[in-house]
């Protein structure tokens, strides 16, 4: 009886994957007016092609999340919404940051979609790979990671820093997928479990692997940025790496603790040296006590402040329970009143 129920569950689950899923492609945007039009064109071609192949449902959509842009990005999203039936928009009240803007789009899209693909607006991620994502999803995978095949197009420094970043994350105990950014597909149930992670410091590259379920990888070649400037200069990349490490690992605190112990050991050696100098008459009055106290008190302070400060900082951010983002405006039809893109495009049922 149990086996029959399990077989029924597995068959019904696999059949749901084989049906044409409703796909949402979520694209966070921050000052992307120079590349937005080209991005819409590329993604519209991808979506149209998959619908015609009957890989995804005709209710699929492109969702652009405006992360408090200071240029005309939102105006372009609104204009594209009026002209392109695939396009929907989500406007945040202020700049929340890439990860939180992406999370806002994912959380909104999961209410309507069977699966969601996330990608950046700069067209560096190969849009043709979305089709491969969907095929893997229809095979039963809940999370499909887009992984760069190589970094030959990067500068030497970019390639070196990226490799060091992933290695550092692994050594710090953070489980990430090598050469994977935020180009991935997630099923509805994976997104529902993602919603249960309530931490303030959002680092999706570390959170998604914690969810589990069936995962796979699709390799692709990353292109040059189509237009505009990178939104991740070196300073922001370092800050992003630090947020990821401190959100998922306590090793930085342990490193500070080890530094404190090393400093304490050095202070003991300094104390021995100071006492020997005192005995041999090689010091002036008060020098011994000053050296010993500076070294000893300094090491203890470093040890205490490092450990306590890190815990307090994390607790301070978490206990406030402030919203991660505020949605200002939505350009999205409800399913009951949904526009029919295939009819507007002149297709037949």
């Amino acid at each position: 009886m149990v086996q029959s129920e399990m077989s029924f569950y597995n068959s019904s689950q696999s059949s749901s994957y084989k049906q044409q899923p409703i796909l949402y492609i979520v694209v966070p945007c921050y000052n992307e007016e120079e590349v937005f039009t080209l991005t819409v064109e590329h993604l519209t071609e991808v979506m149209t092609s998959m619908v015609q192949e009957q890989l995804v449902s005709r209710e699929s959509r492109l969702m652009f999340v405006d992360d408090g842009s200071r240029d005309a990005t939102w105006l372009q999203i609104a204009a594209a919404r009026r002209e392109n039936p695939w396009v929907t928009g989500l406007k945040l009240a202020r700049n929340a940051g890439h990860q939180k803007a992406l999370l806002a789009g994912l959380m909104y899209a999961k209410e309507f979609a069977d699966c969601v693909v996330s990608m950046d607006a700069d067209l560096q991620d190969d849009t043709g790979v979305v089709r491969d994502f969907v095929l893997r999803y229809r095979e039963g995978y809940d999370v499909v990671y887009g992984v760069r095949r190589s970094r030959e197009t990067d500068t030497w420094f970019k390639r070196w820093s990226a490799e060091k970043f992933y290695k550092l994350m692994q050594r710090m105990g953070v489980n990430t997928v090598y050469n994977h950014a935020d180009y991935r597909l997630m099923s509805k149930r994976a997104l529902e479990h993602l919603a249960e992670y309530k931490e303030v410091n959002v680092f999706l590259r570390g959170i998604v692997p914690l969810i589990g379920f069936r995962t796979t990888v699709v390799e692709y070649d990353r292109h040059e940025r189509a237009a505009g400037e990178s939104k991740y200069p070196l300073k922001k990349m370092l800050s992003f790496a630090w947020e990821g490490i401190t959100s998922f690992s306590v090793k930085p605190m342990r490193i500070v603790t080890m530094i404190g112990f090393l400093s304490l050991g050095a202070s003991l050696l300094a104390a021995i040296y100071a006492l020997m100098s005192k005995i041999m008459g090689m010091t002036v009055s008060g020098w011994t006590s000053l050296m010993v106290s500076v070294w000893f008190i300094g090491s203890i302070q470093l040890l205490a402040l490092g450990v306590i400060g890190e815990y307090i900082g994390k607790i301070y951010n978490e206990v406030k329970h402030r919203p991660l983002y505020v949605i200002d405006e939505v350009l999205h039809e409800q399913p009951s009143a949904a526009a029919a893109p295939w009819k507007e495009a002149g297709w037949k049922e």
Side-chain angles (χ1 to χ4, degrees):
M1 180 67 179
V2 175
Q3 291 181 348
S4 62
E5 290 179 354
M6 289 298 297
S7 61
F8 172 77
Y9 171 77
N10 292 330
S11 62
S12 62
Q13 185 183 36
S14 60
S15 63
S16 65
Y17 280 114
K18 293 178 181 179
Q19 295 174 358
Q20 297 177 19
I22 299 176
L23 170 68
Y24 272 53
I25 300 179
V26 173
V27 185
C29 303
Y30 178 68
N31 296 340
E32 299 289 359
E33 64 177 359
E34 296 181 29
V35 73
F36 178 79
T37 301
L38 189 60
T39 300
V40 173
E41 292 177 358
H42 276 257
L43 293 180
T44 298
E45 292 177 0
V46 170
M47 189 68 79
T48 303
S49 175
M50 288 191 296
V51 170
Q52 291 177 335
E53 287 186 65
Q54 297 185 350
L55 289 179
V56 298
S57 168
R58 295 169 174 176
E59 297 179 18
S60 302
R61 295 291 184 272
L62 309 174
M63 173 164 284
F64 296 92
V65 183
D66 179 31
D67 185 23
S69 298
R70 293 172 294 179
D71 60 4
T73 298
W74 178 247
L75 296 178
Q76 291 182 334
I77 294 175
R81 174 75 187 99
R82 292 190 296 268
E83 301 172 0
N84 189 331
W86 296 115
V87 174
T88 63
L90 202 66
K91 185 178 187 297
L92 302 188
R94 61 176 180 83
N95 177 246
H98 177 272
Q99 294 291 281
K100 294 178 182 178
L102 177 55
L103 183 64
L106 294 176
M107 293 299 99
Y108 189 91
K110 75 178 178 65
E111 302 299 328
F112 308 95
D114 297 313
C115 56
V116 179
V117 170
S118 60
M119 63 181 300
D120 292 335
D122 53 17
L123 291 180
Q124 287 188 285
D125 297 324
D126 184 4
T127 56
V129 178
V130 174
R131 182 180 184 276
D132 297 328
F133 286 175
V134 174
L135 291 176
R136 298 296 182 275
Y137 168 79
R138 288 163 66 101
E139 292 173 3
Y141 292 99
D142 286 281
V143 181
V144 183
Y145 297 105
V147 175
R148 295 184 61 172
R149 187 173 286 111
S150 67
R151 289 186 172 272
E152 296 179 356
T153 58
D154 290 345
T155 62
W156 173 86
F157 178 76
K158 177 69 175 178
R159 183 165 56 251
W160 176 84
S161 60
E163 291 176 355
K164 295 300 180 184
F165 166 76
Y166 286 107
K167 290 180 179 179
L168 178 62
M169 296 292 283
Q170 290 292 335
R171 290 181 180 178
M172 288 293 177
V174 184
N175 183 24
T176 58
V177 179
Y178 186 72
N179 272 346
H180 164 71
D182 289 301
Y183 192 24
R184 69 178 75 88
L185 177 145
M186 297 184 68
S187 68
K188 186 181 185 69
R189 70 166 183 163
L191 289 170
E192 288 174 346
H193 284 279
L194 176 63
E196 297 176 2
Y197 289 79
K198 303 295 184 180
E199 54 254 57
V200 173
N201 297 311
V202 180
F203 186 69
L204 293 175
R205 301 183 197 183
I207 296 177
V208 174
L210 297 177
I211 297 175
F213 298 137
R214 293 189 64 192
T215 64
T216 187
V217 167
V218 172
E219 294 185 345
Y220 71 98
D221 293 317
R222 191 170 172 88
H223 307 309
E224 295 290 340
R225 184 179 177 87
E229 298 179 354
S230 174
K231 303 304 184 296
Y232 270 88
L234 178 60
K235 182 179 179 180
K236 197 168 183 179
M237 288 177 59
L238 293 175
S239 176
F240 182 69
W242 177 250
E243 285 294 329
I245 292 172
T246 55
S247 297
F248 284 85
S249 175
V250 296
K251 285 190 176 181
M253 291 187 291
R254 294 174 180 171
I255 292 174
V256 172
T257 302
M258 291 302 300
I259 293 174
F261 279 117
L262 292 175
S263 298
L264 180 60
S267 69
L268 295 176
L269 294 177
I272 295 173
Y273 172 76
L275 290 173
M276 293 298 296
S277 299
K278 176 67 175 178
I279 294 172
M280 298 175 64
M282 299 172 56
T283 63
V284 296
S285 177
W287 183 84
T288 302
S289 59
L290 178 64
M291 287 296 297
V292 173
S293 61
V294 167
W295 277 87
F296 183 78
I297 295 176
S299 62
I300 296 300
Q301 287 178 335
L302 178 62
L303 174 62
L305 290 176
V307 175
I308 297 174
E310 192 70 28
Y311 276 105
I312 292 177
K314 291 299 180 184
I315 295 171
Y316 173 75
N317 286 328
E318 294 293 341
V319 299
K320 290 182 291 186
H321 295 294
R322 292 178 179 174
L324 299 180
Y325 50 84
V326 177
I327 298 177
D328 181 25
E329 190 173 349
V330 177
L331 299 178
H332 183 265
E333 74 282 352
Q334 296 299 320
S336 59
W342 64 93
K343 292 181 179 179
E344 296 184 22
W347 304 346
K348 295 182 179 180
E349 294 279 1

